[in-house]
Amino acid sequence: QAGLTQPPSVSKGLRQTATLTCTGNSNNVGNQGAAWLQQHRGHPPKLLSYRNNNRPSGISERLSASRSGNTASLTITGLQPEDEADYYCSAWDSSLSVWVFGGGTKLTVL
Amino acid sequence: EVQLLESGGGLVQPGGSLRLSCAASGFTFNNYAMGWVRQAPGRGLEWVSSISGSGRDTFYADSVKGRFTISRDNFKNTLYLQMNSLRAEDTAEYYCTKDSGSYDYWGQGTLVTVST
């Protein structure tokens, strides 16, 4: 079961904007949209957005998600030290009836 | 407040079995699908299995199909994962997740180590 494709790492400066990408296919990201999760070392993942740009309560407005075709994106503006974490995308694959995850992107805030 | 509390992890020899449990509270358990996601040390997230709210429909990753069984007790608000024929590559932190169309709540995880 092939996963979603994410760049392994992204580095940006403090207060800059980072855009993370996640590429799938028409059966997962292109069909159901993607969810984004944040994971700090030693902690469980935390949902940041679902179905492309719906934010759970309590999630910062500095985060926004979008989708274009089979690629989902997560944009974080005004980067803060606490944004440094691993970010994962996930989607339901309607053809395979499985959840698929991206390999994760390590975001470093310089 | 939604809470998911996993238990049952530990050290097991290759070929052995373990049963993970996840006690859920703070939401109407039988209204939601649930899932298990694992994370090997230093690696990314890997979906393991999902089950519908009624328990009628189950889904598995190819890597565990035929060895793991997901189930739930909607009277006890508890999710289970029976793991048989364990292999070294099953070593991971196992997370219980609530599925509302995406995995919106996660437990703290329980560590499974498969080793001699």
Side-chain angles (χ1 to χ4, degrees):
Chain A
Q1 288 150 347
L4 307 177
T5 300
Q6 297 183 251
S9 63
V10 168
S11 297
K12 289 289 184 181
L14 195 64
R15 293 182 295 276
Q16 288 189 332
T17 295
T19 298
L20 312 182
T21 59
C22 167
T23 301
N25 60 42
S26 59
N27 295 315
N28 43 60
V29 175
N31 180 17
Q32 301 283 329
W36 287 92
L37 301 149
Q38 177 192 59
Q39 186 180 33
H40 288 104
R41 181 183 293 275
H43 292 271
K46 175 183 177 182
L47 183 67
L48 298 179
S49 81
Y50 57 98
R51 295 290 167 86
N52 296 322
N53 197 20
N54 294 285
R55 274 195 310 269
S57 61
I59 300 301
S60 171
E61 291 181 355
R62 295 187 296 107
L63 278 68
S64 64
S66 61
R67 175 173 64 96
S68 177
N70 297 332
T71 297
S73 299
L74 177 71
T75 298
I76 310 173
T77 60
L79 283 169
Q80 299 297 309
E82 60 265 28
D83 296 323
E84 188 162 290
D86 294 322
Y87 291 81
Y88 295 91
C89 59
S90 68
W92 175 254
D93 191 301
S94 56
S95 173
L96 301 175
S97 293
V98 299
W99 279 97
V100 286
F101 282 88
T105 296
K106 181 176 181 58
L107 175 62
T108 301
V109 179
L110 303 171
Chain B
E1 178 192 5
V2 172
Q3 291 195 345
L4 301 171
L5 184 61
E6 302 96 336
S7 61
L11 175 64
V12 62
Q13 292 188 341
S17 298
L18 274 180
R19 187 198 199 200
L20 305 185
S21 299
C22 171
S25 61
F27 63 101
T28 305
F29 186 66
N30 61 7
N31 280 357
Y32 292 92
M34 298 290 293
W36 290 97
V37 177
R38 68 184 181 184
Q39 186 171 34
R43 305 295 295 274
L45 301 173
E46 179 189 13
W47 173 76
V48 173
S49 182
S50 294
I51 187 169
S52 61
S54 66
R56 183 180 62 188
D57 299 310
T58 58
F59 308 90
Y60 298 93
D62 285 346
S63 58
V64 307
K65 200 172 293 183
R67 300 188 299 123
F68 290 12
T69 302
I70 191 170
S71 62
R72 62 192 296 160
D73 185 331
N74 284 346
F75 293 103
K76 294 183 178 179
N77 289 357
T78 302
L79 176 72
Y80 302 101
L81 185 68
Q82 177 67 43
M83 304 186 296
N84 299 331
S85 303
L86 282 161
R87 306 166 179 166
E89 54 265 35
D90 295 317
T91 294
E93 190 83 25
Y94 283 73
Y95 294 104
C96 167
T97 63
K98 172 178 168 283
D99 181 358
S100 58
S102 56
Y103 287 140
D104 56 351
Y105 287 92
W106 297 63
Q108 291 297 310
T110 186
L111 181 63
V112 172
T113 303
V114 184
S115 175
T116 55

